[in-house]
Amino acid sequence: MLIIGEDNIGRDSSYFQSTDTDGFYTARPQKYFGLSQEVAGCHAALKGAGLKDMLDNEGRTWMILRTQMTIGKYASWLDEFDIETWCQEGYRLYCPRFVEARDKKTGEMLFQSKNLWVIMDVVRNRPEKPSYIDDRLAYVSPELRHFDPALSKFPQEEDYTIDVVNSFKIDVSYYDTDYNRHVNNISYINWLMESFPHDFLDQNLPEFFDVEWKKQCHWGDEIRVETKKKEGSEEYYTKILHKTKDGEDEVAFHAVTRWRKRETI
């Protein structure tokens, strides 16, 4: 159970189950994203700003717009980990949050994620200023923990010139959606990973993600995933498109990933 200290940092510990891993008993990247989302949600809920309560009682909800995740080590089945998270004062309309997980035994960094969340007024479909939850969501002291929320400009698709590595349609399942009644953040990461061929995934692991959720997707949407490669590198660009009411393709999500070879096959 997440515990928030007097320093306003949330801390928790757990272990990786077999269902968190792939065919090599290596932690799936989706699990790291799931952990990042979970501790953020628990931290907010313990401070009176949980998604469910705000949506039910205030007509507001949390939505994530951007994550940059650096992966240091891939854990294995039964590995234990420590994880901590904190949030900072608002930056523009964003509520910045940092999450870091480490191997409990060795102290090695598993992943770090820089995240930009917003609070949405679901009636007006507009973001609230971060000051909406200033009196509830206690911020960490900048002298203790801080990261620059002015994340680098998102790369351009035009920089990825090699023909599409993969392109396929997605059928949104019941379990892709969440309490917000839209596709959950993690489903986009699942689809991103599925866009890479199995033999590629057998030999490679992502070491960096820069992802941006741009539009909401819902059950019944016509969705397509495309992945391209940057020439001369192991960097890829993935976009998830959905059809608008006018029948046009619109980018709902895009991501840049960098990859490294698996140490053992």
Side-chain angles (χ1 to χ4, degrees):
M1 173 65 72
L2 187 84
I3 297 175
I4 302 176
E6 294 182 359
D7 53 11
N8 294 323
I9 298 174
R11 296 178 175 89
D12 201 357
S13 299
S14 190
Y15 74 98
F16 290 93
Q17 301 179 28
S18 60
T19 52
D20 300 327
T21 65
D22 62 16
F24 299 91
Y25 271 141
T26 299
R28 301 175 186 178
Q30 299 95 312
K31 175 62 178 180
Y32 286 178
F33 275 87
L35 285 172
S36 186
Q37 176 178 284
E38 183 66 14
V39 295
C42 289
H43 187 273
L46 289 173
K47 287 296 184 178
L51 183 152
K52 186 177 186 300
D53 286 341
M54 287 207 305
L55 189 57
D56 290 348
N57 302 317
E58 304 172 40
R60 271 75 174 177
T61 189
W62 286 101
M63 292 183 65
I64 192 168
L65 297 187
R66 181 92 180 266
T67 290
Q68 288 184 344
M69 178 180 287
T70 301
I71 296 177
K73 174 187 175 183
Y74 275 92
S76 299
W77 177 42
L78 296 179
D79 282 354
E80 296 179 286
F81 65 88
D82 295 320
I83 192 167
E84 67 177 33
T85 184
W86 72 85
C87 50
Q88 301 176 181
E89 289 188 4
Y91 169 71
R92 298 178 178 172
L93 289 173
Y94 304 123
C95 298
R97 177 178 288 278
F98 195 92
V99 181
E100 181 178 66
R102 292 188 173 272
D103 185 293
K104 194 175 188 68
K105 182 182 293 185
T106 67
E108 293 175 89
M109 188 265 284
L110 301 180
F111 73 86
Q112 294 178 335
S113 67
K114 303 173 183 178
N115 308 278
L116 299 180
W117 292 80
V118 295
I119 305 163
M120 289 292 296
D121 181 325
V122 297
V123 176
R124 297 184 299 158
N125 195 31
R126 292 177 55 186
E128 292 278 5
K129 292 181 179 179
S131 57
Y132 182 80
I133 42 83
D134 275 350
D135 61 339
R136 288 181 272 179
L137 201 57
Y139 302 125
V140 71
S141 169
E143 291 77 23
L144 184 62
R145 294 280 201 283
H146 185 267
F147 75 95
D148 185 357
L151 303 185
S152 56
K153 186 177 180 181
F154 201 88
Q156 298 294 310
E157 180 181 355
E158 291 75 20
D159 295 334
Y160 300 81
T161 55
I162 295 182
D163 288 342
V164 173
V165 174
N166 203 354
S167 178
F168 61 97
K169 291 183 179 181
I170 289 290
D171 291 322
V172 179
S173 75
Y174 180 87
Y175 293 106
D176 283 320
T177 60
D178 59 21
Y179 198 71
N180 277 326
R181 299 297 185 265
H182 66 189
V183 172
N184 185 266
N185 316 322
I186 308 304
S187 290
Y188 297 87
I189 307 301
N190 286 331
W191 298 338
L192 181 163
M193 294 299 296
E194 288 172 9
S195 73
F196 291 90
H198 288 190
D199 58 349
F200 178 88
L201 295 174
D202 276 347
Q203 300 176 55
N204 300 276
L205 290 168
E207 62 182 8
F208 176 77
F209 290 82
D210 191 354
V211 303
E212 188 175 39
W213 293 265
K214 298 173 68 66
K215 300 289 182 180
Q216 297 183 61
C217 290
H218 301 85
W219 185 84
D221 282 358
E222 187 176 333
I223 297 174
R224 182 163 48 88
V225 183
E226 291 184 0
T227 292
K228 300 179 181 179
K229 187 176 188 294
K230 192 171 189 177
E231 188 172 6
S233 75
E234 289 305 316
E235 187 169 298
Y236 295 79
Y237 173 86
T238 301
K239 64 181 177 182
I240 295 177
L241 303 151
H242 73 149
K243 290 286 187 185
T244 66
K245 293 180 180 179
D246 297 327
E248 300 293 326
D249 280 333
E250 180 178 52
V251 177
F253 166 94
H254 58 180
V256 167
T257 52
R258 292 199 299 267
W259 296 70
R260 64 175 182 251
K261 293 295 183 183
R262 284 186 188 263
E263 293 181 3
T264 58
I265 300 298

